Amino acid sequence: MYFVNKRIDYIDFIKGCCIFLVVWAHSIQNMGPDNAFWENPIHIFICSFHMPIFMLISGFFFNHSINKTLLQTTKRKFIQLIIPCFGWSLILVLIHVIEMIINEIPISLFEQIKYLFYETGTRFWFLRSVFICYICAIISLKVFKKDYIACIVSFLIFLSIPDNFRLAMDKFMYPYFWFGYFIHKYIDKIYKYKNTILPISFIIFVLLLINWEKKYYIYVTGMSFYFIEGYKIIFFPYMERLYIVIYRYLIGFSGCIFFFLLLKKLYNPKWYLYRLLKETGKYTLGIYVIHIFIEGMILKHINLPNIGFFSFNFLVTPIVSIFLIFFCIIIIKLLQKNKLSNFLFLGVSYSSNEQSIIKNKL
């Protein structure tokens, strides 16, 4: 049986802020002109750190899993992270089958099963990455014992494999997971020197952000120094790829630590907006999967190319994002009313007739 862990208010507040950034970035991506988001400065700003800081928060709670067996951790995280991916992908497959029936297209059961597992492993990629990071980290700790050795060695091993099977995102996220773990371990010391860390990390982040280019997106260049095509191993220019990887991590780490410490410092439960963001932070897993589902089905068909930069980035897409988040929370609360839907779409399991809530540690 799992037990409810006591929530940390400022962590929920940070998660609430970050899930808004995630939805906002996706709204910019889906509602603007085709491929214009690659050069959109707001999109660039958000994507430079928004998923890394979510992985940092996942790693922040890794210490809760260290003393558990690999089987316990695998089962718990599979339910929490992979089951919702499967549940929402199942809905996508059903919609796809209905469309095929309407259009009188022959249906192959084998192809639909392939489609189901492909969507489960790729569409909601971040949850898959959190799952992989947990498993890799727990195995490396059991093998190497010392956390810093486990972190370094496992990352180098991870980095040495190719990006095939869409592993680039998992490899990119892995160090941020460990970063969160070490921040939790040394949080008192880190916060003691926050007045030094904050300006330094801010300066590094801004300087790197000014020099951002499209090639620094993980989606564009990946992580590997080589790839396998058929029976051939093809290498990328070593120094160029190394520079991209280092740059990407520098801006990610500096952005993560700056915004983590800044938001922790700013959090004040007396302010209604902060309390609202804190409450939103309790639903991040559900918001993440549901908003991707909705945006993939609806927002990608909306195109607003001629309303102006300011209106698009600071009025339309933020307002759409806010409404989308509230709509997702309504759906989450409805799904929570039923045991099966709570399990299949939100990754919440039950044991001994008692609800065992697996915290949404995105």
Side-chain angles (χ1 to χ4, degrees):
M1 176 179 175
Y2 303 122
F3 297 93
V4 179
N5 291 317
K6 184 179 179 181
R7 305 196 73 98
I8 303 174
D9 286 350
Y10 75 83
I11 292 293
D12 281 333
F13 169 68
I14 294 173
K15 289 166 62 181
C17 294
C18 291
I19 196 63
F20 170 73
L21 292 178
V22 171
V23 178
W24 188 12
H26 284 159
S27 298
I28 292 172
Q29 179 177 332
N30 284 288
M31 297 176 67
D34 291 342
N35 296 320
F37 63 90
W38 293 120
E39 306 297 334
N40 185 301
I42 308 303
H43 188 268
I44 290 171
F45 164 73
I46 295 172
C47 288
S48 66
F49 74 94
H50 72 322
M51 299 316 292
I53 197 172
F54 257 124
M55 187 59 78
L56 179 156
I57 293 171
S58 296
F60 192 84
F61 294 97
F62 177 53
N63 65 307
H64 297 317
S65 301
I66 289 176
N67 295 324
K68 294 181 174 63
T69 65
L70 178 61
L71 181 60
Q72 287 175 317
T73 300
T74 302
K75 178 182 177 182
R76 183 163 62 93
K77 291 301 170 184
F78 186 87
I79 292 172
Q80 178 191 4
L81 301 166
I82 305 302
I83 291 298
C85 298
F86 177 83
W88 289 103
S89 296
L90 185 61
I91 298 296
L92 287 171
V93 171
L94 292 175
I95 293 173
H96 187 234
V97 168
I98 291 172
E99 290 176 344
M100 294 178 71
I101 292 173
I102 293 173
N103 295 310
E104 298 181 348
I105 300 173
I107 298 173
S108 166
L109 178 60
F110 177 71
E111 289 300 320
Q112 295 310 310
I113 292 175
K114 280 176 56 179
Y115 178 54
L116 172 62
F117 283 98
Y118 176 81
E119 290 293 322
T120 299
T122 59
R123 183 174 291 266
F124 311 99
W125 68 265
F126 182 74
L127 298 189
R128 178 204 67 206
S129 290
V130 176
F131 177 75
I132 290 174
C133 287
Y134 260 97
I135 303 307
C136 289
I138 201 75
I139 291 174
S140 62
L141 264 181
K142 292 185 182 301
V143 172
F144 298 106
K145 308 303 179 184
K146 298 289 187 180
D147 50 16
Y148 62 93
I149 295 177
C151 169
I152 295 171
V153 174
S154 60
F155 172 61
L156 291 176
I157 293 173
F158 211 176
L159 190 60
S160 68
I161 64 178
D163 286 348
N164 297 67
F165 309 108
R166 301 175 67 93
L167 287 173
M169 305 303 298
D170 312 310
K171 292 159 63 176
F172 175 52
M173 289 285 107
Y174 190 59
Y176 296 110
F177 182 86
W178 277 106
F179 190 39
Y181 163 79
F182 285 114
I183 285 179
H184 182 275
K185 184 176 181 179
Y186 300 109
I187 187 64
D188 292 334
K189 292 183 179 179
I190 291 172
Y191 208 63
K192 179 180 179 181
Y193 297 102
K194 65 180 182 302
N195 292 332
T196 300
I197 297 174
L198 274 168
I200 292 176
S201 59
F202 174 74
I203 292 170
I204 294 173
F205 177 72
V206 171
L207 290 175
L208 291 169
L209 191 63
I210 292 172
N211 293 285
W212 180 277
E213 297 178 31
K214 182 180 177 180
K215 64 182 179 181
Y216 298 128
Y217 280 104
I218 182 65
Y219 318 102
V220 174
T221 52
M223 285 289 295
S224 181
F225 291 84
Y226 67 99
F227 69 98
I228 299 175
E229 187 175 275
Y231 296 99
K232 295 182 180 179
I233 299 178
I234 303 174
F235 290 89
F236 295 109
Y238 179 80
M239 292 306 297
E240 179 183 352
R241 181 52 61 94
L242 181 62
Y243 176 81
I244 291 173
V245 170
I246 292 174
Y247 174 96
R248 193 183 283 145
Y249 276 126
L250 283 176
I251 193 170
F253 280 117
S254 59
C256 280
I257 192 64
F258 171 73
F259 286 103
F260 182 90
L261 292 177
L262 178 66
L263 292 173
K264 183 180 186 301
K265 183 177 181 180
L266 291 177
Y267 176 65
N268 185 341
K270 295 180 180 180
W271 289 24
Y272 174 76
L273 178 59
Y274 287 10
R275 295 199 306 273
L276 184 63
L277 286 166
K278 184 199 72 172
E279 290 303 310
T280 302
K282 296 178 181 180
Y283 300 100
T284 49
L285 187 149
I287 293 171
Y288 173 75
V289 292
I290 296 171
H291 100 274
I292 287 181
F293 182 87
I294 294 173
E295 289 194 338
M297 297 295 294
I298 300 174
L299 288 192
K300 72 176 183 179
H301 300 294
I302 299 174
N303 192 289
L304 303 172
N306 299 312
I307 63 173
F309 176 85
F310 181 86
S311 296
F312 178 77
N313 287 290
F314 296 105
L315 290 177
V316 176
T317 51
I319 291 173
V320 169
S321 301
I322 291 170
F323 276 104
L324 185 53
I325 288 172
F326 280 118
F327 184 64
C328 288
I329 293 175
I330 291 172
I331 295 176
I332 291 168
K333 291 186 175 181
L334 290 174
L335 293 172
Q336 288 175 336
K337 295 180 181 295
N338 179 269
K339 179 178 178 179
L340 179 60
S341 62
N342 208 12
F343 173 77
L344 188 59
F345 300 114
L346 299 176
V348 178
S349 64
Y350 294 79
S351 177
S352 302
N353 297 320
E354 294 183 18
Q355 184 176 6
S356 58
I357 301 176
I358 303 175
K359 288 177 63 178
N360 296 338
K361 302 189 182 89
L362 272 178

